[in-house]
Amino acid sequence: MTTTDLDRQPLGPTVPADLSILVEAFARRADVHDRTATFPGQDFDDLFAAGLNAPTVPREHGGLGLGPLHGQTNRLWQMTRQLAAADLSLARCWEGHTNSLVLLDALATEEQKARWFGAVVRRGQRWVAWSGEPKATKPGEQQRFGTTVQRKGNGWVVDGTKVFATSAIGADWAILLVDPAGPGGAREAGKDSRVLMLACELADPSVSVDESWWDPIGMRATASHLVRFDQTYIPDTHRIGEPGDYLKQEWQTVFIPHYAASFLGAADAAYQYALNYVMRQNKGTDPFVQQRIGAMSVAVETGELWLRHVADLWDAGRRREARIAGSRARHLVEHLALDTVDHCVRACGARCLVKPSPIERILRDLSFYVRHDNDDHILATIGRAALGQPYDPSFYKP
Ligand SMILES: Cc1cc2nc3c(=O)[nH]c(=O)nc-3n(C[C@H](O)[C@H](O)[C@H](O)COP(=O)(O)OP(=O)(O)OC[C@H]3O[C@@H](n4cnc5c(N)ncnc54)[C@H](O)[C@@H]3O)c2cc1C
């Protein structure tokens, strides 16, 4: 069985087959979304219409019951992979949405679940989670980003800015990861900090989006804008879990291999493009092209095997191993995917980098998306774990 055969296997009974029809439309729209940096709202609407927009919502709440809380991790990641092959930006928005629903499933009260899951399943509401408060400014940048959060009555007042706020103009709700100790979000906080998860309704008039900040090389359609909170009041009824749960319970480690699923989708798309191109051009007898194709097929299959391995660890409840294995997969698949795109470009030549070629977009998207975490720090963390030293499995801090 070839990797391509593997890719085409049905995902199983819990993933309706019509996703493969939808992704063709998503791939066709990706170019326009990229050029105009537009959130892929129509794609989300189509997923909702097909009953596919609540994969990690439990079945008793009307969802598909996929993901690591339901022993169905790989099925979720295979969905993400298919979406990423169509449009990596869409996959990032989808990850933010489905990951947020995992957090609600694990930590929200029954009343919160009934309300929020109901609106996702019946009205197609979209979620995302925002930490993004990088402290270092880039050259020439005057403004600093960050939020303060203060207790008021039976709730909290959030003030300030976040950046890299994926789906800023497309989501209905955002889980704000905010630190009462000061700006920095979850990434900059200490492990023992009491970072809060506050569900913020984005229609609140105190929340505004500054679309001038987001003009990146790739992942443009994630619409990861600067979001401003002007004394935004969030009642206790919108707090998810207990203060500190996100870091103490290491939730980031559940989502790290999900990035790898997206990277692998990008590799799938590059591999498929190269196969089609080379065969159409009758270049398949060239020994160098053969080597490139061979390397791509091994890379994609390796990524697939690693994802399955990590998913199996989560599904077997082997969480300690799953956490560090997820980072190993995240590290490895980043390189496999970047290599696959490079092999594709070398096999297909310069024309595959002329718009509206999907490879031109994938190259930009992937090179930007893998910066989501610093691979040097990921690898050092894997090394620290192997050496028996203390390590931060969530944000890879030294
Ligand atoms: C497409 C995309 C979508 C995103 N969406 C979201 C989202 O929806 N929600 C969200 O919360 N975040 C999101 N992020 C943001 C992401 O989580 C990071 O916060 C962001 O990438 C940090 O920006 P930076 O790398 O420019 O800055 P920095 O964090 O300042 O890092 C700059 C560089 O310095 C390195 N560095 C940092 N600390 C140290 C240190 N102590 N010693 C040495 N080097 C160090 C970093 O590893 C990095 O290489 C997204 C990022 C991307 C790329």
Side-chain angles (χ1 to χ4, degrees):
M1 181 181 282
T2 67
T3 310
T4 319
D5 294 333
L6 279 175
D7 294 346
R8 291 200 183 113
Q9 279 194 100
L11 293 171
T14 50
V15 178
D18 39 7
L19 182 62
S20 54
I21 300 166
L22 289 181
V23 292
E24 286 175 24
F26 300 166
R28 280 195 298 275
R29 290 174 193 149
D31 178 54
V32 172
H33 290 150
D34 169 62
R35 286 179 198 250
T36 54
T38 307
F39 174 80
Q42 183 65 50
D43 298 352
F44 269 89
D45 289 347
D46 289 352
L47 288 163
F48 171 52
L52 296 170
N53 70 315
T56 48
V57 169
R59 283 170 166 263
E60 61 268 29
H61 284 280
L64 297 178
L66 304 182
L69 299 185
H70 301 280
Q72 297 282 352
T73 306
N74 201 39
R75 290 189 196 286
L76 172 70
W77 291 350
Q78 292 303 321
M79 280 181 95
T80 303
R81 179 180 170 185
Q82 276 187 270
L83 296 174
D87 181 351
L88 208 45
S89 284
L90 168 64
R92 165 86 279 270
C93 300
W94 163 265
E95 279 177 50
H97 173 68
T98 62
N99 292 346
S100 299
L101 300 177
V102 169
L103 286 172
L104 296 184
D105 189 11
L107 299 169
T109 64
E110 285 309 313
E111 191 276 329
Q112 288 174 329
K113 285 186 201 181
R115 183 159 29 112
W116 289 328
F117 286 158
V120 171
V121 171
R122 286 192 289 279
R123 290 195 273 133
Q125 283 203 339
R126 304 163 192 151
W127 283 71
V128 70
W130 294 337
S131 171
E133 301 183 20
K135 277 189 179 160
T137 53
K138 63 183 187 187
E141 192 166 60
Q142 302 300 325
Q143 56 186 329
R144 289 191 169 272
F145 310 111
T147 56
T148 57
V149 52
Q150 273 166 348
R151 192 80 189 135
K152 183 176 179 189
N154 293 324
W156 303 86
V157 174
V158 178
D159 198 62
T161 52
K162 283 183 178 286
V163 284
F164 290 101
T166 286
S167 307
I169 50 175
D172 300 286
W173 290 84
I175 299 177
L176 305 184
L177 292 150
V178 285
D179 189 353
R187 268 175 195 271
E188 310 280 344
K191 193 162 189 279
D192 298 325
S193 78
R194 293 170 62 76
V195 165
L196 298 163
M197 283 179 273
L198 302 177
C200 177
E201 189 161 19
L202 298 175
D204 189 303
S206 67
V207 180
S208 58
V209 177
D210 177 348
E211 297 190 28
S212 64
W213 182 78
W214 182 248
D215 189 11
I217 180 175
M219 301 300 279
R220 300 175 59 80
T222 61
S224 300
H225 295 294
L226 185 160
V227 177
R228 191 163 279 115
F229 303 91
D230 183 10
Q231 301 280 318
T232 301
Y233 182 72
I234 303 184
D236 283 334
T237 49
H238 290 186
R239 197 191 75 207
I240 301 158
E242 296 299 317
D245 275 357
Y246 192 82
L247 293 171
K248 246 191 298 185
Q249 298 178 12
E250 299 181 330
W251 281 100
Q252 185 72 12
T253 63
V254 180
F255 309 133
I256 286 167
H258 209 171
Y259 302 134
S262 289
F263 302 163
L264 185 59
D268 287 333
Y271 178 40
Q272 199 58 52
Y273 180 97
L275 276 179
N276 293 342
Y277 187 94
V278 163
M279 290 203 265
R280 218 178 39 238
Q281 301 240 336
N282 282 328
K283 289 188 175 154
T285 52
D286 179 276
F288 297 110
V289 167
Q290 289 166 349
Q291 287 200 30
R292 298 281 172 196
I293 296 288
M296 283 187 256
S297 85
V298 172
V300 167
E301 192 166 5
T302 306
E304 162 134 3
L305 292 170
W306 259 96
L307 273 188
R308 278 197 209 168
H309 166 57
V310 177
D312 287 348
L313 289 173
W314 279 112
D315 292 347
R318 292 163 63 183
R319 293 178 173 212
R320 202 162 169 276
E321 293 160 84
R323 287 194 168 102
I324 193 69
S327 282
R328 289 173 194 264
R330 158 70 182 79
H331 157 73
L332 183 64
V333 178
E334 167 177 336
H335 293 280
L336 294 171
L338 288 168
D339 287 350
T340 301
V341 174
D342 185 55
H343 287 308
C344 172
V345 171
R346 288 173 192 274
C348 300
R351 270 175 297 158
C352 77
L353 294 179
V354 177
K355 283 178 194 279
S357 158
I359 301 305
E360 186 271 343
R361 190 188 68 251
I362 290 167
L363 180 64
R364 285 186 289 107
D365 283 350
L366 188 63
S367 67
F368 189 61
Y369 195 15
V370 297
R371 301 275 80 80
H372 203 295
D373 283 293
N374 180 324
D375 183 53
D376 292 334
H377 290 176
I378 298 173
L379 202 50
T381 300
I382 294 166
R384 279 194 285 276
L387 289 163
Q389 297 172 9
Y391 61 93
D392 167 15
S394 297
F395 295 110
Y396 310 115
K397 282 195 223 115

mmCIF file of all heavy atoms in Angstrom, residues 264 267 298-300 302-304 306 331-341 343:
data_model
loop_
_atom_site.group_PDB
_atom_site.id
_atom_site.type_symbol
_atom_site.label_atom_id
_atom_site.label_comp_id
_atom_site.label_asym_id
_atom_site.label_seq_id
_atom_site.Cartn_x
_atom_site.Cartn_y
_atom_site.Cartn_z
ATOM 1 N N LEU A 264 1.639 18.356 8.438
ATOM 2 C CA LEU A 264 1.605 17.170 7.575
ATOM 3 C C LEU A 264 0.632 17.368 6.415
ATOM 4 O O LEU A 264 0.897 16.906 5.295
ATOM 5 C CB LEU A 264 1.231 15.931 8.405
ATOM 6 C CG LEU A 264 1.283 14.598 7.663
ATOM 7 C CD1 LEU A 264 2.685 14.317 7.106
ATOM 8 C CD2 LEU A 264 0.861 13.446 8.584
ATOM 9 N N ALA A 267 2.393 19.107 3.766
ATOM 10 C CA ALA A 267 3.281 18.169 3.055
ATOM 11 C C ALA A 267 2.478 17.307 2.086
ATOM 12 O O ALA A 267 2.909 17.070 0.944
ATOM 13 C CB ALA A 267 4.024 17.294 4.056
ATOM 14 N N VAL A 298 8.479 9.069 1.591
ATOM 15 C CA VAL A 298 8.964 8.592 2.896
ATOM 16 C C VAL A 298 8.639 9.629 3.985
ATOM 17 O O VAL A 298 8.214 9.287 5.086
ATOM 18 C CB VAL A 298 10.487 8.309 2.847
ATOM 19 C CG1 VAL A 298 11.021 8.001 4.244
ATOM 20 C CG2 VAL A 298 10.795 7.165 1.891
ATOM 21 N N ALA A 299 8.812 10.901 3.654
ATOM 22 C CA ALA A 299 8.558 11.963 4.646
ATOM 23 C C ALA A 299 7.093 11.961 5.074
ATOM 24 O O ALA A 299 6.785 12.021 6.271
ATOM 25 C CB ALA A 299 8.935 13.322 4.054
ATOM 26 N N VAL A 300 6.196 11.881 4.095
ATOM 27 C CA VAL A 300 4.771 11.929 4.420
ATOM 28 C C VAL A 300 4.369 10.703 5.248
ATOM 29 O O VAL A 300 3.648 10.799 6.250
ATOM 30 C CB VAL A 300 3.928 12.043 3.123
ATOM 31 C CG1 VAL A 300 2.466 11.778 3.398
ATOM 32 C CG2 VAL A 300 4.111 13.428 2.508
ATOM 33 N N THR A 302 6.332 8.900 7.154
ATOM 34 C CA THR A 302 6.944 9.009 8.486
ATOM 35 C C THR A 302 6.101 9.915 9.380
ATOM 36 O O THR A 302 5.830 9.596 10.548
ATOM 37 C CB THR A 302 8.379 9.584 8.378
ATOM 38 O OG1 THR A 302 9.126 8.790 7.471
ATOM 39 C CG2 THR A 302 9.070 9.605 9.734
ATOM 40 N N GLY A 303 5.677 11.045 8.823
ATOM 41 C CA GLY A 303 4.828 11.956 9.601
ATOM 42 C C GLY A 303 3.543 11.281 10.018
ATOM 43 O O GLY A 303 3.091 11.409 11.161
ATOM 44 N N GLU A 304 2.967 10.534 9.103
ATOM 45 C CA GLU A 304 1.714 9.826 9.401
ATOM 46 C C GLU A 304 1.908 8.822 10.541
ATOM 47 O O GLU A 304 1.094 8.732 11.463
ATOM 48 C CB GLU A 304 1.242 9.114 8.125
ATOM 49 C CG GLU A 304 0.230 8.037 8.388
ATOM 50 C CD GLU A 304 -0.952 8.086 7.464
ATOM 51 O OE1 GLU A 304 -0.979 8.938 6.563
ATOM 52 O OE2 GLU A 304 -1.846 7.260 7.666
ATOM 53 N N TRP A 306 4.192 8.840 12.894
ATOM 54 C CA TRP A 306 4.431 9.535 14.164
ATOM 55 C C TRP A 306 3.125 10.070 14.760
ATOM 56 O O TRP A 306 2.891 9.966 15.953
ATOM 57 C CB TRP A 306 5.431 10.678 13.955
ATOM 58 C CG TRP A 306 6.786 10.274 14.413
ATOM 59 C CD1 TRP A 306 7.793 9.785 13.639
ATOM 60 C CD2 TRP A 306 7.269 10.268 15.764
ATOM 61 N NE1 TRP A 306 8.874 9.484 14.424
ATOM 62 C CE2 TRP A 306 8.585 9.770 15.728
ATOM 63 C CE3 TRP A 306 6.723 10.623 16.987
ATOM 64 C CZ2 TRP A 306 9.357 9.629 16.878
ATOM 65 C CZ3 TRP A 306 7.492 10.498 18.147
ATOM 66 C CH2 TRP A 306 8.793 10.003 18.083
ATOM 67 N N HIS A 331 8.364 18.537 16.413
ATOM 68 C CA HIS A 331 9.695 18.874 15.889
ATOM 69 C C HIS A 331 9.946 18.171 14.561
ATOM 70 O O HIS A 331 10.318 18.795 13.563
ATOM 71 C CB HIS A 331 10.759 18.465 16.915
ATOM 72 C CG HIS A 331 12.106 18.239 16.325
ATOM 73 N ND1 HIS A 331 12.913 19.269 15.879
ATOM 74 C CD2 HIS A 331 12.783 17.088 16.038
ATOM 75 C CE1 HIS A 331 14.030 18.774 15.375
ATOM 76 N NE2 HIS A 331 13.974 17.459 15.446
ATOM 77 N N LEU A 332 9.730 16.854 14.545
ATOM 78 C CA LEU A 332 10.074 16.067 13.360
ATOM 79 C C LEU A 332 9.218 16.458 12.157
ATOM 80 O O LEU A 332 9.731 16.654 11.040
ATOM 81 C CB LEU A 332 9.901 14.572 13.662
ATOM 82 C CG LEU A 332 10.298 13.638 12.531
ATOM 83 C CD1 LEU A 332 11.792 13.745 12.238
ATOM 84 C CD2 LEU A 332 9.926 12.197 12.866
ATOM 85 N N VAL A 333 7.906 16.595 12.382
ATOM 86 C CA VAL A 333 7.014 16.854 11.243
ATOM 87 C C VAL A 333 7.268 18.245 10.666
ATOM 88 O O VAL A 333 7.111 18.455 9.463
ATOM 89 C CB VAL A 333 5.528 16.629 11.626
ATOM 90 C CG1 VAL A 333 4.618 16.951 10.448
ATOM 91 C CG2 VAL A 333 5.304 15.193 12.071
ATOM 92 N N GLU A 334 7.670 19.207 11.507
ATOM 93 C CA GLU A 334 8.059 20.522 10.957
ATOM 94 C C GLU A 334 9.109 20.333 9.859
ATOM 95 O O GLU A 334 8.978 20.858 8.751
ATOM 96 C CB GLU A 334 8.622 21.427 12.067
ATOM 97 C CG GLU A 334 9.319 22.669 11.509
ATOM 98 C CD GLU A 334 9.844 23.645 12.562
ATOM 99 O OE1 GLU A 334 9.316 23.649 13.690
ATOM 100 O OE2 GLU A 334 10.784 24.400 12.242
ATOM 101 N N HIS A 335 10.145 19.535 10.167
ATOM 102 C CA HIS A 335 11.234 19.364 9.200
ATOM 103 C C HIS A 335 10.812 18.509 8.014
ATOM 104 O O HIS A 335 11.186 18.787 6.869
ATOM 105 C CB HIS A 335 12.459 18.787 9.910
ATOM 106 C CG HIS A 335 13.023 19.762 10.891
ATOM 107 N ND1 HIS A 335 13.837 20.815 10.513
ATOM 108 C CD2 HIS A 335 12.806 19.904 12.220
ATOM 109 C CE1 HIS A 335 14.128 21.543 11.584
ATOM 110 N NE2 HIS A 335 13.517 21.015 12.630
ATOM 111 N N LEU A 336 10.024 17.468 8.280
ATOM 112 C CA LEU A 336 9.548 16.625 7.179
ATOM 113 C C LEU A 336 8.718 17.445 6.195
ATOM 114 O O LEU A 336 8.840 17.302 4.973
ATOM 115 C CB LEU A 336 8.707 15.465 7.723
ATOM 116 C CG LEU A 336 9.450 14.424 8.577
ATOM 117 C CD1 LEU A 336 8.443 13.474 9.230
ATOM 118 C CD2 LEU A 336 10.457 13.643 7.736
ATOM 119 N N ALA A 337 7.869 18.300 6.740
ATOM 120 C CA ALA A 337 6.985 19.093 5.873
ATOM 121 C C ALA A 337 7.788 20.141 5.097
ATOM 122 O O ALA A 337 7.586 20.312 3.887
ATOM 123 C CB ALA A 337 5.900 19.758 6.714
ATOM 124 N N LEU A 338 8.707 20.828 5.774
ATOM 125 C CA LEU A 338 9.527 21.828 5.069
ATOM 126 C C LEU A 338 10.357 21.151 3.973
ATOM 127 O O LEU A 338 10.472 21.664 2.857
ATOM 128 C CB LEU A 338 10.436 22.562 6.056
ATOM 129 C CG LEU A 338 9.737 23.548 7.007
ATOM 130 C CD1 LEU A 338 10.690 23.990 8.122
ATOM 131 C CD2 LEU A 338 9.223 24.778 6.252
ATOM 132 N N ASP A 339 10.915 19.981 4.294
ATOM 133 C CA ASP A 339 11.708 19.243 3.292
ATOM 134 C C ASP A 339 10.836 18.833 2.112
ATOM 135 O O ASP A 339 11.267 18.885 0.956
ATOM 136 C CB ASP A 339 12.324 17.972 3.917
ATOM 137 C CG ASP A 339 13.469 18.296 4.857
ATOM 138 O OD1 ASP A 339 13.901 19.464 4.885
ATOM 139 O OD2 ASP A 339 13.922 17.379 5.567
ATOM 140 N N THR A 340 9.604 18.403 2.405
ATOM 141 C CA THR A 340 8.720 17.939 1.330
ATOM 142 C C THR A 340 8.402 19.085 0.371
ATOM 143 O O THR A 340 8.414 18.909 -0.851
ATOM 144 C CB THR A 340 7.423 17.346 1.929
ATOM 145 O OG1 THR A 340 7.790 16.266 2.783
ATOM 146 C CG2 THR A 340 6.490 16.840 0.842
ATOM 147 N N VAL A 341 8.134 20.252 0.932
ATOM 148 C CA VAL A 341 7.849 21.404 0.069
ATOM 149 C C VAL A 341 9.097 21.747 -0.754
ATOM 150 O O VAL A 341 9.004 22.039 -1.950
ATOM 151 C CB VAL A 341 7.356 22.608 0.906
ATOM 152 C CG1 VAL A 341 7.202 23.845 0.036
ATOM 153 C CG2 VAL A 341 6.031 22.273 1.593
ATOM 154 N N HIS A 343 11.485 19.655 -1.709
ATOM 155 C CA HIS A 343 11.620 18.630 -2.757
ATOM 156 C C HIS A 343 10.647 18.925 -3.904
ATOM 157 O O HIS A 343 10.986 18.771 -5.077
ATOM 158 C CB HIS A 343 11.305 17.239 -2.198
ATOM 159 C CG HIS A 343 12.375 16.690 -1.303
ATOM 160 N ND1 HIS A 343 13.697 16.631 -1.678
ATOM 161 C CD2 HIS A 343 12.312 16.158 -0.052
ATOM 162 C CE1 HIS A 343 14.406 16.092 -0.687
ATOM 163 N NE2 HIS A 343 13.589 15.806 0.302
#
